[in-house]
Amino acid sequence: GVRPLTSTQIRECCVSPDKYSMSQVEEYRSMSLAQPFFAGIDWGTGDAAYTILTICTYIDMKFRVLFMYRFQGEESDPEIQIAKIIEICQHFNVNLIGADHGFGFGMNSRLVRAFGRDRVHQFQYMARMNMKIRYNNQLQRWQLHRTEVMSAIFDAIKGKKCEFPPWEEFREPFAQDFLNIYSEYNEKLRMLQYDHTPGNPDDSFHSFLYCWIVSMLRIQRPDILIPGKEDEHGTAMHAWRDNIYQG
C-alpha cells in the first residue's frame, strides 16, 4: 500500500515549540468561554487499539490540536476513561463531541447522559454511500463515507489547513498513528480504501477526524468537504456559493 501522508507533510503542520506546547493547554482554557472548543474520541480496548481524546479549536484561522491523549495501561479501564474524558471536556467547556459509534456504543450513552444529545454526535464509517456525510434519523448517528471523508482530511492536512503541536510532542505516538495508514485499491469494491497493519494503530487520526467533522456542524468548511473544480481556463470553480473558507 501507499501512505496517504508523509512525515514531512505532518511536520509542516506542527507549530514551533516557542509558539505552543500541549503542556500549555491550560492557558487556552479561558478562550473556551468566548469561542467553541471541540472534542473527538476514537474508542479502543488498549490492546493494540487505544482510546484517543482530541481537543481542538480555531486559532489564527487554523484548526489547531490543543490536546491529544492516549489511554493505555491501567487507563484502558472503561470506567477510568469515561470519568477522565467527562472531566476534561467539562473543564474546557467543550461545545461539541464527536465519537466513534462502533466500539464505543455503551461509552457514548454515558457521554450523552453527561452532556446531552445535542452536544454528543456519534459517527459510523460506511464503505459505500452516495454522499460523503449523512445523518440517519432512525439510528440517530452520522454516517461517513470512510474513503471520501478520510481523503478530505488527508487533503486538508496536505493543504496546511490545520495545526498540530510541536513535532517533538506530536511525533510519538500521535503522528505515527497518522503514518500507519496506507491506501490500497479494492478490486471487489472498485475503489480506494485505507487500512493499517495489525499492531500499528491509527486511532489518533480517527480521533482528530471526528473532532474536525463534528466542528463543521458549528463552523462549516465547504472548502474541505466540497471538492474544488476548474473551468477550461484553469480558474477555480466551487459549488458552494458562500465564503469557501470559514475557519
Side-chain angles (χ1 to χ4, degrees):
V2 178
R3 283 183 177 179
L5 289 174
T6 66
S7 58
T8 298
Q9 290 166 335
I10 296 176
R11 192 165 185 165
E12 287 176 345
C13 293
C14 292
V15 301
S16 61
D18 60 342
K19 184 176 181 181
Y20 174 72
S21 167
M22 280 198 284
S23 63
Q24 298 172 298
V25 65
E26 189 64 29
E27 298 176 16
Y28 287 79
R29 184 188 177 210
S30 60
M31 292 178 58
S32 67
L33 301 176
Q35 68 184 61
F37 275 40
F38 307 99
I41 305 168
D42 189 44
W43 301 106
T45 62
D47 181 16
Y50 302 92
T51 294
I52 304 286
L53 170 66
T54 301
I55 293 181
C56 302
T57 192
Y58 277 94
I59 296 177
D60 297 330
M61 301 293 286
K62 294 287 185 72
F63 193 68
R64 182 186 293 181
V65 173
L66 293 178
F67 180 76
M68 194 172 267
Y69 191 82
R70 172 190 272 189
F71 291 84
Q72 53 191 349
E74 65 178 17
E75 290 186 328
S76 298
D77 184 325
E79 291 301 317
I80 294 176
Q81 287 182 20
I82 195 68
K84 188 162 186 173
I85 288 172
I86 290 173
E87 178 186 3
I88 292 172
C89 289
Q90 288 176 336
H91 184 73
F92 288 100
N93 303 300
V94 167
N95 192 266
L96 293 175
I97 300 170
D100 169 35
H101 165 74
F103 179 76
F105 175 78
M107 304 283 271
N108 290 337
S109 72
R110 299 274 294 275
L111 290 177
V112 169
R113 289 200 295 272
F115 296 98
R117 193 168 298 280
D118 290 342
R119 293 171 64 187
V120 179
H121 295 262
Q122 299 184 58
F123 293 105
Q124 177 187 19
Y125 283 132
M126 308 293 289
R128 278 198 177 279
M129 281 171 44
N130 59 2
M131 59 186 71
K132 280 191 177 77
I133 301 174
R134 69 185 176 202
Y135 186 74
N136 189 313
N137 283 297
Q138 183 176 0
L139 299 177
Q140 293 189 323
R141 58 179 176 263
W142 294 92
Q143 295 177 321
L144 311 178
H145 188 303
R146 192 176 191 275
T147 296
E148 292 287 339
V149 173
M150 288 179 68
S151 295
I153 298 301
F154 288 140
D155 288 342
I157 294 171
K158 294 174 187 176
K160 303 178 186 178
K161 295 183 178 183
C162 58
E163 288 184 337
F164 300 130
W167 177 249
E168 293 73 16
E169 295 181 53
F170 193 64
R171 181 176 182 176
E172 291 287 351
F174 310 116
Q176 188 57 52
D177 281 8
F178 285 52
L179 295 172
N180 286 338
I181 300 170
Y182 64 87
S183 62
E184 282 190 333
Y185 188 78
N186 187 312
E187 293 289 350
K188 184 177 180 180
L189 295 177
R190 296 184 179 182
M191 62 181 291
L192 189 72
Q193 288 191 309
Y194 297 109
D195 203 351
H196 64 101
T197 57
N200 294 300
D202 60 353
D203 314 299
S204 299
F205 173 79
H206 296 291
S207 174
F208 173 69
L209 182 149
Y210 296 143
C211 189
W212 207 347
I213 294 298
V214 82
S215 79
M216 295 178 193
L217 299 177
R218 190 59 47 88
I219 302 172
Q220 298 178 21
R221 292 303 302 270
D223 59 312
I224 293 175
L225 292 181
I226 298 178
K229 297 180 180 180
E230 294 183 349
D231 61 19
E232 63 273 17
H233 305 293
T235 303
M237 300 168 58
H238 298 277
W240 183 266
R241 298 303 179 186
D242 205 339
N243 179 10
I244 64 168
Y245 189 83
Q246 299 185 16

